[in-house]
Amino acid sequence: MKIPLLVCTLFLVFSCFDREKKTDHQIIEVKKTENAPIIDGKSNDHIWDKVKWHALDQNWLGAAYSHDDFSGRYKLAWNAKALYLLVEITDDVFYDSIADPFKRYWNDDCLEIFMDSDNSGGLHQHSNNAFAYHIALDHKVVDIGPDKLPLFLNDHMNIKSVRDEQRMTWEIALGVYPGDADATAALSPISLVKGSKLGFALAYCDNDGSPERENFIGSVFIPGADKNIAWIDSDVFGTLVLGD
């Protein structure tokens, strides 16, 4: 009896790895920069003049919103050390009411970066197969760890933002960490190389003063009725290709 039970157990274990490979979609080729931008929340680095804007306009959660309520766009660049983001958010109300950074942080205004270092896709809600970085207006970075508890991951990135009335410009140098990394340990990001693919999406939680966010707006189209699944399934992330 022990042998068939062992065979069955091994079959179940290996079948977990027999999943469909992520299908690349919303493919963006990211330009390399020889000179890393100065992370100061400003768009005056030369690289930002050489790359185009991408839209942050997919309503993943909530009723239809107006352009006066919210609009967003972003630029990307890379070098061996980091992925660089320039994000411009126009919001009629920047709302941050929850004092505890580990409590309902998704219901305050926050920027969210989804990163899958090997573009493998798959579930990541309670694992580090991929990361869902929630970046609060005060720059605290939170994700859920493998122990199912929130934790700070500010050491994964360098962030600066500048707010001018209803516009906030974020500049971020994001270290790309391996998908099997232990987020509770001090590990080093991987070295990025030309031709690599990264699973990526960007989103914004928009709250104008309600108990819960009114909208969750993302960078990639997600088919189906339930579009609020990027925090669980990295198959829906877009794909970045690191180019010249």
Side-chain angles (χ1 to χ4, degrees):
M1 292 295 293
K2 291 183 179 180
I3 294 177
L5 180 60
L6 176 61
V7 171
C8 181
T9 301
L10 289 173
F11 173 79
L12 290 173
V13 170
F14 284 108
S15 65
C16 292
F17 297 95
D18 188 23
R19 58 178 295 276
E20 284 190 23
K21 190 174 183 289
K22 175 195 168 187
T23 300
D24 292 342
H25 57 97
Q26 187 167 320
I27 300 170
I28 297 175
E29 183 169 340
V30 183
K31 187 173 182 62
K32 185 176 183 180
T33 178
E34 297 300 331
N35 299 310
I38 297 170
I39 305 302
D40 56 8
K42 301 176 183 179
S43 58
N44 52 8
D45 299 277
H46 183 54
I47 183 61
W48 299 133
D49 293 329
K50 298 171 65 177
V51 297
K52 68 177 184 178
W53 288 106
H54 302 283
L56 187 60
D57 62 357
Q58 298 296 310
N59 193 14
W60 289 352
L61 184 69
Y65 61 89
S66 70
H67 187 77
D68 292 334
D69 178 17
F70 171 87
S71 65
R73 58 182 186 169
Y74 65 99
K75 292 183 176 186
L76 299 166
W78 75 281
N79 64 18
K81 293 183 177 180
L83 179 72
Y84 300 98
L85 296 89
L86 180 72
V87 185
E88 184 183 280
I89 300 295
T90 303
D91 191 358
D92 59 343
V93 177
F94 287 107
Y95 187 72
D96 187 5
S97 69
I98 304 169
D100 189 334
F102 290 160
K103 301 292 187 183
R104 300 185 298 112
Y105 44 84
W106 55 88
N107 281 325
D108 276 336
D109 277 18
C110 69
L111 190 67
E112 191 163 354
I113 301 173
F114 299 91
M115 173 54 60
D116 179 6
S117 64
D118 60 3
N119 196 43
S120 60
L123 302 179
H124 69 96
Q125 180 181 2
H126 296 138
S127 77
N128 296 323
N129 179 49
F131 293 94
Y133 299 107
H134 298 76
I135 308 171
L137 297 184
D138 63 0
H139 298 175
K140 291 185 176 71
V141 181
V142 174
D143 192 11
I144 300 173
D147 58 2
K148 302 183 181 180
L149 297 175
L151 75 164
F152 287 127
L153 292 176
N154 281 78
D155 58 334
H156 283 209
M157 64 188 75
N158 182 15
I159 312 163
K160 296 293 181 185
S161 64
V162 175
R163 190 189 304 184
D164 180 14
E165 296 182 351
Q166 294 183 338
R167 178 174 295 174
M168 180 176 283
T169 302
W170 304 74
E171 197 168 22
I172 300 171
L174 174 65
V176 178
Y177 284 74
D180 59 353
D182 178 359
T184 63
L187 299 176
S188 299
I190 63 176
S191 182
L192 299 177
V193 297
K194 178 184 174 183
S196 294
K197 291 183 178 181
L198 308 174
F200 173 84
L202 187 68
Y204 191 79
C205 298
D206 185 26
N207 189 332
D208 294 336
S210 303
E212 298 181 348
R213 59 188 171 179
E214 286 97 9
N215 290 100
F216 189 29
I217 301 121
S219 63
V220 297
F221 170 75
I222 298 177
D226 184 4
K227 301 182 184 301
N228 182 22
I229 59 172
W231 68 288
I232 296 173
D233 188 356
S234 61
D235 282 348
V236 301
F237 296 5
T239 299
L240 304 183
V241 180
L242 304 185
D244 292 317

